Amino acid sequence: MTDWLQHLPVLPILVPLAVAAALIPIDERERTLKGSIGFTSTVIVFVVAVILMATAGEETLPGAGVYQLGNWPAPFGIVLVVDRLSALMLCLTSGLALAAQVYSMARWHTAGHHFHSLLQLLVAGVNGAFLTGDLFNLFVFFEVMLAASYGLLLHGSGPLRVKAGLHYIAINLAASSLFLVGVSLIYGATGTLNMADLSTRLAALAPEGRMLVETGAAVLGIAFLVKAGMWPLSFWLPTAYAAATPPVAAIFAVLTKVGIYVIIRLNLLVFGTAAGASAGFGQSWLLAGGMATIAFGAVGVLASQAMGRLAGYSVLVSSGTLLAAIGLGHQEMIAGALFYLVSSTLTIAAFFLLIELVERGRDAAADVLAVTMEAYGDFDENEEEEEVGVAIPGTMAVLGLCFSLCAVLLSGLPPLSGFIAKFTLLHGLFDVPTAGQARTISAADWTYVALVILSGLAAMIAMNRIGIRTFWASIEGTIPRVVVIEITPVVVLLAACVFLSFQAGPAMRYMQATADDLLNPAGYGERVLSAPRAGGQ
Amino acid sequence: MRAWFPYPLLSTALVLMWLLLNQSVALGTLLVGLVLSMVLAWVAVKLRPTRSHLNRLRRIASFGLRVSIDILRSNIAVAGIILGTRGQPVRSGFVSVDFDVEDENALALLACILTATPGTAWLEYDRRKKKLLFHILDLENEIAWRRTLDRYEAALKEIFQ
Amino acid sequence: MELILSAGIGALTASGVYLLLRPRTYQVVIGLSLLSYAVNLFIFGMGRLRVNAPPILEPGGVGDLAHHADPIPQALVLTAIVIGFAMTALFLVVLLASRGFTGTDHVDGREQRGD
Amino acid sequence: MLPVFLFAPFGGSLIAIFFPSDQRGATAWFAGAIALVCFLATAGLYPFVAAGNVLRYQLEWVPQLGLSVSLRMDGFAWLFSALITAIGVLVVLYARYYLNAEDPVPRFFALFLSFMGSMLGIVLSGNLILLAVFWELTSIVSFLLIGYWHHNAHARDGARMALTMTGMGGLALLVGLLLIGRVVGSYELDAVLASGDAIRNDSLYVPILVLVLFGALTKSAQFPFHFWLPHAMAAPTPVSAYLHSATMVKAGVFLLARLWPVMAGTEAWFWLVGLAGLATLVLGAYFAIFQQDLKGLLAYSTISHLGLITTLLSLGSPLAAVAAIFHIVNHATFKASLFMAAGIIDHETGTRDMRRLSGLFQYMPITATLAMVASAAMAGVPLLNGFLSKEMFFAEAIETHLVNILDTITPYVATIAGMFAVTYSLRFIHSVFYGVPPSDLPKKPHEPPRWMRAPVEFLVLACLVVGILPGRTIGPFLHTAVASILGDRTPHYSLAVWHGWNVPMIMSFVALSGGVGLYFLMRSYLATGIEGPPVFRLLKGQRIFERVLVTLSWKWARSIEQGLGTRRLQPQMLLLIILALTAGALPLLAHGFELPPLVIRGIDPAFALLWTIGIACAVGSALQAKFHRLAALVLLGGAGLVTCLTFVWLSAPDLAVTQLLVEIVTTVLILLGLRWLPKRIKEPEREDIPMRTRFRRLRDFLLAALAGGGMTLLAYTVMTQPASETIASYFLERAYSEGGGTNVVNVILVDFRGFDTLGEIAVLSIVALTVFALLLRFRPQADSLEAPEQQRLQNAFDAGHPDRAAGDSIAEYLHIPSAIMRWMFPVTAMLAAYLFLRGHDLPGGGFAAGIAMSIGFILQYMSGGTRWVEERLRIHPLRWMSIGLLVAVATGVGSWLFGYPFLTSHSQHATVPVIGKVPLASAILFDLGVFSLVLGATVLMLIAIAHQSVRAPRAHARGARAEKEAAQ
Amino acid sequence: MTELAILWSILLAQVMLSLAMAFALYRIVKGPRAQDRILGLDTLYINAMLMLIAFGIRTANTIYFETGLLIAVIGFVSSIALAKFLMRGEVIE
Amino acid sequence: MSHLTDLPSWAAIPVCMLLLLGAAMTLIGSIGLIRLPSFYDRLHAPTIATSGGTVLICLASMLCFAVLQSRWIFHELLIIFFITVTTPVTLMLLGQAALYRNRLEKPRDVPQTPGRPSKEDSQ
Ligand code: NA
Ligand code: NA
């Protein structure tokens, strides 16, 4: 009997990939079937992610959590590395995917073809990016993720999405070129693609080599920052996210985090303390860019008239907060940053799902469905666009409550996880180490504090304004027709935030352990590079 | 046999191609080539390319030789024209001839020959009027080309019956 | 060799980048293709240039870098070519769709002054 | 015990939501019961607290960060809890009768209970962060309560302003509390209270003070943040009575008192708190005089009284602190009753406008009497509770605390404010209850229901009892509270009604008589009915705030967003390129980059010539892409071809094969797309190009040149450096022995790095699906809907000649070529098979084979057209893709059976009879998946575009038919 | 001596072939009509194929042969696509 | 792996001659592409490369590898065959397209056959 559990790390990529492949030839009219299969797949991925999260970092033996694809050892073959951080991100991704999937099955998956396949492929791509320990493989999974995101963004077609999609794709294609240039430059200078190997080689590198690696990393960084949405590389983002169909926008909330994730990884692993003269490379740029992003995001949040754009700009605020936190370089903040990452992603995803439900009572959905209707020009599918959902009187109250929760979470008001996240970040910033000299609070620190607080205020003002307009001041709108499977994902995501708020202690323990892992790049390298091959060769 | 190799000529050509590609006449290669050519011929049936019957192998050989010589000659001639060794500008033009060959493949073969022969270029063929329009680089040879074409016509008619 | 290939990469990049900045979607798609050639050659060059040393072994043989070019960049370029092709196709279709919806082939979906 | 104070209200709130909306009484009973339970619990705890004990409860929340649910009840917290719960009970009773049947009553009580819980949370928090949590909760809940009648625009605006102000303050407070935590090393209140010296002496003291004060002053509506409170009066009166007099606004002064032991006593404190307090005291009172709205008057009066408390706390003396605490209680009592009375008046007459109200005494004598007593307490009339704390205030005002101007003017300001208080109190009573009987009131006035008045009666009674017998009634409770704040610094004080003729008494007398005089002096002015005080009327805080808010948060934000952002693609590309260039250049510059020596020797002239061609193609393509698309495409093909040759030249035959195949497919692809693009305009003359455009082109050209130069430099630098030790040797050594193939590149692709390939084919399938899905929705622009011009002309020609059938032109055109093209199909397939089978050992492989095969299909489509092919061949690209991906995954999974990780290859060379030695690497199977997927994806993409030519005209015709039918 | 002669003649052949490619490029750039450009591209492909064979001879390596063969078998596809586009305004009808 | 220098001179000389001749023919063809005045003239140019050039260079290759590797299988024949088969397709399509375009624009210069429309016809 083989130990099947050893293959868990590869499942979050394989299961959605295989399911996506199996879904492709199924007739589009069997959407519910496709959705159910996709749902099952995502549930499996979620369960696997939870198991990985529960076991990650428990054993620190060499090779723990390292999966050698093709049984080739690092740094030669591609390895998947499960640590607390990647397991956490897997969990987050599959959670969001579940929400988006369930939500889409009420109506949005009818807006175009192959929605469920694309969603599965997106999950596979994102999970791959989180798991891989190889730079070029990271590129490949970035592309899987991006390609799927293009497909999903364009899902439903229509002028707005296509226009936004064109910009999104053009910019990301250019960024992908940068990615390739960066990766290959690093390979040219070091002769390796494995991140752990890279981190061990960097310190011993001659100055010319180091120069090239840094150049490569800088170019690479730009590619990630485009994805992460750093100002001024992020103007496409609010438009694209606002144009996407709600379930897609919800899952997109995690895409920027992939960029952030990689930056955290590279920053702490490759350019960590062990990197010699290259330690902390690029941090000041992350700081400046992150702060500019918070400011721009907050301004955008204020300036948004539509909720979709507001949510898009909230994504930027979230990214900026994380980038600047990384840029500050305070080790005490990492755990807080991770908590913030999770909380803000869940919140924004819930908000994206909620927006359409709230606006449905007004007018927005009507034209979306119109596009849906005329789309099947050539394919006489005769799909009855039956009116889904019933107008339940309590709907408005539930939507209002959800909206309020989103507002509280986005503004970082107590007692929900948005607040805890901000608190943990600022606590880390102000923290006085138990042993050792207290760090003086620098001007950058103060600016960061001000930006974090003011961005919360901006979110509060904007959400307040838009909420009042929608729920309090609206002229007798029709009560939106909402079905249970649409509101459930919103509620579940928000409940996750609530849960995170009350279980902040255990959550922070996990984050702290994750941060400790990240701050110990040598341990990571040891684990990856000395993992034994299967079959004892 | 017909069922297995609906286009025997094609199958043979494919096997030959396979052997050349693999640069081997080993039995294994031959077998794989046979299987592949069989499968591919079946697929080709679906596209229903025009079937032609070739006969008179000797005629084919002499025709081939004749064509090769024509091509070689005109290669030299055209090279001369291009390099301007004749010292006068070239006079080129269109030539239209009656050409009565029904077989599509024969026409295709002719097209290949005319194209491969420098100095002549196949342009179009009117199926109703059985007229072939081609372009020649050196109009001074127009009569010779017309004669050559008549010869080709006869040869092709003979080969593709 | 290095000099010539670098110059070629530079020219391809410059042409590609110039086109990326242009207003017509068709220009952008051509630019992306040129840029992807440049990037592919760049990746390829990172394995250093070798003439007549393809990474193909004698049957049963063992290769080494003294007699064979670095195969890794080649494998990476192969992947990059495929992905580049896919993306060109995608971008092309999106620009067609955009043109269909907006009536213009301008990248912003509407004509801008002075383009 | 302590968690009850949180669980009961919050739990009750959750339950209350689900009460049916017509169950007004039941909901009120329920809420009242909860409040009563809380009150009784408080009362029950008194003996424990009175003994000087502190009741504690601790629950971990985020222990790592020092955040715990730590509750703590000392005397001061007890006093506040008692206030909150007692008045809470009364307000519930009152609200039961105040609310109408149409109002969503369950929501009201749910919010009310939440608010009570939050407020209790503030006073019971033993952890600063927990305090901040409840602090913001009160802001949020009060927002919802103020906006309870949200159909009313005033309610919405008032709610929004209250939330914005107090929320802002709360955020500042949070930072202040975090800083305290940093200084103290803990957020626990006990630790903080023990670290007064550390806090006051820390360099962060001033920032902390400013931040905390910002929180406290906004919450307590202190100048200059006072303006939100009057606008919060749009709330239902029970809310005003509870939040805006008795409890929430007290949170600010509560916090000041709570932190008083550790923060007060410094000069900064004195100035900042004192200035705010005094200004609020006098301005609030002054403004109150000129209000026409009953609740407005009470709101400004509240502001003024909170200013009084703040002033007391600013002084830094223990006695002042005692007075402050005492006044907190007194104010809560009389102001809550006054609000309720005002609410009764509003409820029974239909208006709160003092210009319309008059002579109500005869209609509601009991209410009037109660209101008069409460007003007197507010004015500081002797024998009422307000008098006592005001006397203490006057006594403290004349003391010298610090020698400065602020301290000097305090007594005068206090007296003047006292005078104003008398004036507005008198005005309230006189104008509402006396004078001519009211005319044109919306309702006929009468006494309220019995139980609606009961809370007022109770509170007024309390004013009287405390006013007459302070020592017996409030004394012990006050002492407990004071002792818990001041500890050993608790001063000796007496709560006697009569202290003899002393300065404070004289000040009171002056204030009383002066106030009465002032009222009669101002009667004529007040009779004009002008809203707001003279001079200051124009300076409306709320208006300014709104305008600033709109300007900052809307106008500026929008222009900044537009200025710093863009929705156009070109600027974004420009930025991306500039940033990438900068990012690439900085490390080079930082390391003092030096150009490696140029090596001219050894350059192959043929190769050099080749790249001259390549460069010309690239540049030409860039120049032609706008006006000569076909030329640009051809030149692009040229550049691709040179790239392909380069790969061959530099030992990468696999790349050359792939590049070539992709090149061909790309050309066909772009051509397929070109059909749907608009007709290209003629190239303008050079002179006609505007300057702007020329400048932009020059700029882009320079940037492009920089980018190209950068890439050249980098490439040259790396390529001329000796290679570092690379992982490639590992692959070269093991490709055959462990990977089972001689083509190392292919072994890498299907084995060593097979996972990359899996991802890569996933990308291909995603793109194919996307293209397919998008094209199903493709709507061509009108001008490209009809067939291209060439076809139209040729079709017209066929139609115009009787001897020709439709489609003859195309048939003749393709007649001979398609004969050849058809024969090429099996040839291409053979070639693909060859490429596939040799891939593992020689250049080729699944990908190349797949593309080659797809070219075979394309060729058939070109020769015969879409319908022709699809009538003959079954094309199921989606199935091929699906199978391909599944085969690839399944092959990888197969290795699990043997206990190896995903994609572990099993390479053997099996000897098959006759065929000979064949490679049996499972990698071949994987490659088969690649082949199938690539074939499917490529065919799908190309065919999906090609189908548009068939589809669009049909859809067009259908649309035209539908239009015609509609017209008939 | 023979060695040198071989090397030089191959070099010369390659230079001639690349010159031939350059001339084809000239036609692509110069036009004047689209058909000229397409003709130029087709020639460029053929010349490139011959260049590949020459390169094979130069390196005495048959590994590059398939690239040349591919041009011979399917290199014409892009040219005919262009030509058909010219004639019909559409590649696949 | 063998080297070209292993080639005995009896073989080397014909290989070089064939190669040079083939390259020269190809070059001449391409010169024709430049020098010939009209499109239809230029249509003949590449055929020198596809016939003469290809055959000669492939012969050189066949000879070279036959000697070097002592084998008698000439896969270069495939190249000769396929180039001969596929080039006509391009040239035919191209020539007809050019003819069609010219008939529309300058009907005088090219022969009018009923097979093709002209401006007058289409009006
Ligand atoms: Na010819
Ligand atoms: Na009055």
Side-chain angles (χ1 to χ4, degrees), chain D residues 262-309:
Chain D
V262 292
M263 294 192 73
T266 64
E267 197 156 347
W269 170 278
F270 182 83
W271 271 101
L272 287 174
V273 183
L275 216 50
L278 277 178
T280 314
L281 168 67
V282 69
L283 286 174
Y286 176 67
F287 283 22
I289 298 173
F290 300 96
Q291 298 305 307
Q292 301 297 357
D293 176 21
L294 274 183
K295 284 176 78 177
L297 184 148
L298 293 177
Y300 276 108
S301 149
T302 302
I303 291 171
S304 171
H305 280 276
L306 289 167
L308 189 154
I309 299 167

Side-chain angles (χ1 to χ4, degrees), chain B residues 113-122, chain F residues 43-44 47 91:
Chain B
I113 293 169
L114 281 190
T115 310
T117 315
T120 56
W122 169 296
Chain F
L43 204 52
H44 302 276
T47 56
L91 295 188

